[in-house]
Amino acid sequence: MKYCRYVLIAAALIAAVMPLAAFTPKKEYTMQVNVGPAYDWGVGAQKFADLVAEKTNGLINIKPYFGSSLLAGKQTNWYQAVADGSIDFVVDSTINASSVIRSLNLFSLPFFINTYENVDKIENGKAGARIIADLEKGGVKFLAWGENGFRQLTNSKREVKVPQDVAGLKVRVVGSPIFIDIFKQLGADSVNMNWADAVTAFQQGVVDGQENPKSVLTVVKIWEYHKYMTNWNYLIDPLVFGVNMQQWKNFPADVQKQIQDAATEAAEYEKALARAYLDGDKSLNILKTKFKVTQLPEEPFALAISKGMKITNLTPDQLAAFKEKTKPVYDKWVPMIGEDLYKLAVEDMK
Ligand code: X2X
């Protein structure tokens, strides 16, 4: 009887200690980030790495590789690299994974998700759950939604108010097929290019225009190349905070929780940076009160205007004209994204 009890105690002790003993962290976990450390997105990625180090007492060391340096600049390859484990962690754009994960193109339907409220409803709703399941099925554990932002059009040639104004413009877009289709509908001459090459292309005037959110445009000082900006919120660019699924499963439960908490917190911070000034006081207040930020960024549009940019805000009628013009993109892409996912998104936004 007594002997039996010792055996049980010994077995319980071994079971308790085993998982800890079995986990040896790597010296460094790599992280893919398409942009540099000065962008809101880069700041969020660094914050995630820092919070993981803090919460795990230095056990897990994540190093962000900015500018897609692990992918030789090929930003649209991140999903494969994280899914097959050649990169461990990721904070990157849904657009850059949308040629592999079809459902991510939901976010790129033109003039569909047009407010932050709708973005949040979809990400946290039924459509979001479906997309997260797709990301995970392919081998990337989803941790949190960050945000690059609503993408706006800038160019060096003319003010854009109606679809005809876009016709003939040479516009740099990401190498994602739906973007090519959208700009084709608008009659633009679209050129796909990695971000690593895009800024040089603006400098040299190889292209007339591009589309990106304010968080990107202020860092590259877009006003140095383009005089005109149209705020058309034509589509939203969410970011994924994620990790290779096998790597995730290797982490003990307590480490998983610490990593998840770090991602949730860093993503909230990053989203607030990306939305600062664009949602009234909401995100600014999150930065000030929750994250104790004292040095707030400058108001982006006033800054752009002070640098000589002309900013055009579209009326509902003008927006409707753009939506009408890009309708063939829905006819082609909704079936590819999935009619049912599209319907879930419409329900989520109600
Ligand atoms: O390449 C872009 O335009 C950027 C930086 O916004 C993305 O990575 C999607």
Side-chain angles (χ1 to χ4, degrees):
M1 222 19 220
K2 206 171 172 190
Y3 171 74
C4 191
R5 194 151 85 213
Y6 285 137
V7 170
L8 279 177
I9 291 169
L13 277 175
I14 290 167
V17 173
M18 266 295 276
L20 279 181
F23 174 68
T24 317
K26 296 208 267 184
K27 274 217 178 72
E28 174 189 295
Y29 290 86
T30 54
M31 180 201 276
Q32 150 68 14
V33 189
N34 186 37
V35 293
Y39 297 71
D40 295 341
W41 158 4
V43 171
Q46 185 63 57
K47 181 146 186 112
F48 176 34
D50 293 346
L51 285 172
V52 168
E54 189 186 306
K55 289 182 196 291
T56 64
N57 286 316
L59 185 72
I60 305 297
N61 167 36
I62 303 175
K63 180 168 176 202
Y65 283 81
F66 295 105
S68 288
S69 58
L70 294 175
L71 299 171
K74 297 198 181 83
Q75 64 194 69
T76 51
N77 288 356
W78 79 251
Y79 186 84
Q80 265 331 110
V82 179
D84 72 19
S86 43
I87 296 177
D88 303 309
F89 283 85
V90 63
V91 176
D92 213 283
S93 168
T94 44
I95 297 170
N96 293 332
S98 62
S99 23
V100 189
I101 305 293
R102 282 271 171 87
S103 52
L104 288 177
N105 289 286
L106 180 83
F107 296 115
S108 301
L109 285 173
F111 309 97
F112 177 51
I113 307 169
N114 51 355
T115 63
Y116 287 126
E117 208 190 339
N118 283 337
V119 175
D120 293 340
K121 281 181 177 169
I122 288 184
E123 288 178 354
N124 304 320
K126 291 195 184 118
R130 204 48 105 66
I131 294 169
I132 291 169
D134 284 350
L135 286 165
E136 298 199 334
K137 228 182 291 158
V140 176
K141 162 72 187 167
F142 172 90
L143 297 169
W145 292 114
E147 198 159 279
N148 193 16
F150 277 110
R151 299 176 73 94
Q152 319 297 3
L153 183 68
T154 68
N155 84 95
S156 60
K157 297 284 183 208
R158 55 182 167 264
E159 186 180 8
V160 170
K161 287 196 285 198
V162 292
Q164 293 86 302
D165 295 330
V166 185
L169 287 179
K170 199 163 177 185
V171 182
R172 175 269 170 183
V173 294
V174 192
S176 161
I178 194 169
F179 284 79
I180 314 276
D181 287 344
I182 294 169
F183 281 89
K184 199 162 144 197
Q185 280 311 312
L186 296 172
D189 175 9
S190 60
V191 190
N192 80 59
M193 207 180 276
N194 288 323
W195 187 243
D197 306 317
V199 182
T200 322
F202 308 152
Q203 269 162 2
Q204 296 175 346
V206 174
V207 292
D208 305 322
Q210 64 83 47
E211 43 75 61
N212 251 294
K214 73 99 179 170
S215 63
V216 167
L217 301 181
T218 47
V219 175
V220 300
K221 300 191 169 69
I222 199 70
W223 46 81
E224 293 187 357
Y225 321 110
H226 298 161
K227 183 172 167 56
Y228 305 98
M229 178 182 319
T230 295
N231 276 336
W232 61 352
N233 278 19
Y234 86 123
L235 55 84
I236 184 72
D237 178 3
L239 303 177
V240 170
F241 284 62
V243 53
N244 168 270
M245 187 59 91
Q246 196 47 54
Q247 206 60 256
W248 174 252
K249 288 182 180 161
N250 291 345
F251 293 129
D254 57 338
V255 174
Q256 284 183 346
K257 183 178 180 323
Q258 289 154 345
I259 293 173
Q260 178 61 68
D261 289 349
T264 305
E265 191 178 330
E268 186 186 0
Y269 176 67
E270 191 279 335
K271 253 193 185 186
L273 283 177
R275 293 183 182 188
Y277 298 100
L278 304 182
D279 61 354
D281 286 344
K282 197 174 165 199
S283 289
L284 283 170
N285 282 336
I286 294 176
L287 290 176
K288 281 191 265 191
T289 54
K290 179 152 188 192
F291 293 103
K292 312 276 178 253
V293 174
T294 46
Q295 275 242 303
L296 292 170
E298 275 189 80
E299 202 284 319
F301 297 124
L303 178 66
I305 291 167
S306 79
K307 302 287 182 188
M309 264 196 127
K310 175 157 181 46
I311 299 189
T312 306
N313 295 307
L314 300 183
T315 64
D317 282 352
Q318 286 171 325
L319 281 170
F322 277 101
K323 181 156 187 175
E324 181 58 31
K325 189 82 185 164
T326 50
K327 192 169 170 298
V329 176
Y330 284 65
D331 301 337
K332 175 173 171 185
W333 281 88
V334 170
M336 290 206 276
I337 292 165
E339 295 278 356
D340 45 346
L341 176 62
Y342 176 79
K343 281 192 192 128
L344 287 179
V346 172
E347 274 172 38
D348 284 341
M349 289 193 283
K350 267 183 194 153

